[in-house]
Amino acid sequence: MKIGELSARTGVSIRSLRYYEEQKLLTSVRMDNGYREYSPLAEEQVRTIQFYLSLGLSTEQIASFLTCVLKNKEAFCEEVLPIFERKLKEIDGQIHLLSQIKSNLEDRIRSIQEER
Amino acid sequence: MKIGELSARTGVSIRSLRYYEEQKLLTSVRMDNGYREYSPLAEEQVRTIQFYLSLGLSTEQIASFLTCVLKNKEAFCEEVLPIFERKLKEIDGQIHLLSQIKSNLEDRIRSIQEER
DNA sequence: ATAAACCCTGACATTAATGTCAGGGTCAAG
DNA sequence: CTTGACCCTGACATTAATGTCAGGGTTTAT
C-alpha cells in the first residue's frame, strides 16, 4: 500500500509517517518510481506507534523497543520495563507539581472570592 | 540599581530580566550611557513575576494583570480571577490526562512483572 | 592608559512532533 | 496529451522562556 492509503487507514498524516520512518519507527520499500510501499502489517505498526506516543514516550524511546515489541509480548522485551518505569516516575513528578500549583490556584481563587 | 545587581538580588538571569522588559512585565529608565536603571521596587516586582511564572502563567497573561496587582491586592483586579480559573481548568485537564497515562503505565508494568 | 568587569543590541539555539509550502516527478483516465 | 490526484525531497514554521555568542561601548581601578 502507498503512503496515502496508510495515512487514510490510520488517520496519521503523511508528514508524520515520513517522520516515523526518519526516526526508524517504520520501514517501507521503495518502488521503481521512488514511491514508498508499505506491508499490510504497517497499519497495525502505526497504531502501535501512536499508542506509545500517546503515553508520552518519545520517538527515540519507542524506537529502542518497538522492533522487539512488534515480534514479542512486551514482557519479553528487556528494554520496555525500565522505560515505562522512568516514564512513570516522570509523570508522578509532573502530577505532583501540577497538584501543588492547583492547590495554590485554588487558595488564591478562594481568597479572592471571599474578599469580594 | 543596574541590571547585574537586580539579577544578583533576585537570582533571575540578566537575559530574563531583559526579556521581561520586552514583554512589558518590567520597566527601567535609561541612564545617559544607555544602561538600564531599576527602582528598588523592581526586586519585589521580579519576585512577583517569577511567582506567577511558577504557577504556569504566560508572560502575556501576567502582563495583563501585573500592573494592577502590584498596586492593589489580587482581589481588586478584575482580570485576575478569570485567568486563574482558566489556568485551573487547564491544570485539571492535564492532571486528568496524566492520571490516565499513569494508570495505563502501571497496568502495563504490573502485567509485565507478573509475566516474568 | 590599560585591564577587568560591567553594560548594550541582535541573533541564533534549544525541544519535538507536526504543519505547510515550493518545486518537481508519476500515473491514470479522458 | 492534458488534467488531476498522487508521490518525492528539502526546508522553514510552530511554542516559550532562557542560554549563549558576537561585536561593541562604558566604567572603575590600577
Side-chain angles (χ1 to χ4, degrees):
Chain A
M1 113 185 73
K2 283 178 292 187
I3 199 168
E5 187 181 344
L6 183 57
S7 172
R9 281 180 186 276
T10 58
V12 175
S13 74
I14 291 177
R15 175 69 175 84
S16 293
L17 294 176
R18 294 198 186 113
Y19 178 69
Y20 296 163
E21 185 169 326
E22 195 183 14
Q23 301 301 305
K24 314 231 190 278
L25 294 179
L26 193 56
T27 55
S28 63
V29 296
R30 293 310 179 103
M31 307 299 280
D32 286 349
N33 56 18
Y35 289 9
R36 289 172 179 81
E37 176 69 23
Y38 294 96
S39 110
L41 294 168
E43 187 177 334
E44 175 63 15
Q45 192 158 345
V46 170
R47 294 192 202 286
T48 304
I49 293 167
Q50 285 273 295
F51 170 73
Y52 287 126
L53 281 174
S54 79
L55 290 186
L57 300 180
S58 68
T59 56
E60 192 185 353
Q61 289 176 316
I62 298 172
S64 74
F65 63 67
L66 186 63
T67 309
C68 179
V69 164
L70 286 172
K71 287 187 207 139
N72 313 282
K73 298 190 62 175
E74 275 179 358
F76 298 135
C77 302
E78 292 295 334
E79 315 92 312
V80 171
L81 196 55
I83 291 178
F84 280 10
E85 282 169 341
R86 196 174 324 134
K87 190 71 198 177
L88 183 57
K89 250 184 209 164
E90 190 187 320
I91 288 182
D92 272 335
Q94 289 172 348
I95 290 177
H96 186 241
L97 180 59
L98 288 175
S99 299
Q100 286 183 320
I101 294 177
K102 173 175 172 164
S103 300
N104 203 320
L105 279 174
E106 284 172 339
D107 288 350
R108 297 179 102 76
I109 288 173
R110 204 176 315 114
S111 72
I112 288 175
Q113 284 168 338
E114 280 166 10
E115 273 189 271
R116 289 191 181 161
Chain B
M1 113 185 73
K2 282 178 293 187
I3 200 168
E5 187 181 345
L6 183 56
S7 172
R9 280 180 187 274
T10 59
V12 174
S13 74
I14 290 176
R15 175 69 176 85
S16 293
L17 294 176
R18 295 199 186 113
Y19 177 69
Y20 297 163
E21 185 168 327
E22 197 184 12
Q23 302 299 306
K24 314 232 189 277
L25 294 178
L26 194 56
T27 55
S28 63
V29 296
R30 293 308 179 105
M31 307 299 280
D32 286 348
N33 56 18
Y35 288 11
R36 290 171 178 80
E37 176 69 23
Y38 295 96
S39 109
L41 294 168
E43 186 177 335
E44 176 63 14
Q45 190 158 346
V46 170
R47 294 192 202 285
T48 303
I49 293 167
Q50 285 272 296
F51 170 73
Y52 286 125
L53 282 175
S54 79
L55 290 186
L57 299 180
S58 68
T59 56
E60 192 185 352
Q61 289 175 317
I62 299 171
S64 73
F65 63 68
L66 186 63
T67 310
C68 180
V69 164
L70 286 171
K71 289 187 205 139
N72 313 282
K73 298 190 64 175
E74 275 178 0
F76 298 134
C77 302
E78 292 295 334
E79 313 92 313
V80 171
L81 196 55
I83 291 178
F84 281 10
E85 283 169 340
R86 196 173 324 134
K87 190 71 198 178
L88 184 57
K89 250 184 210 164
E90 189 186 321
I91 288 181
D92 272 336
Q94 289 172 348
I95 290 178
H96 186 243
L97 180 60
L98 288 175
S99 298
Q100 286 183 319
I101 295 177
K102 173 174 171 165
S103 301
N104 202 320
L105 279 173
E106 284 171 340
D107 288 350
R108 297 180 102 75
I109 289 172
R110 205 176 314 114
S111 71
I112 290 175
Q113 284 168 338
E114 280 167 9
E115 273 188 273
R116 289 191 181 161

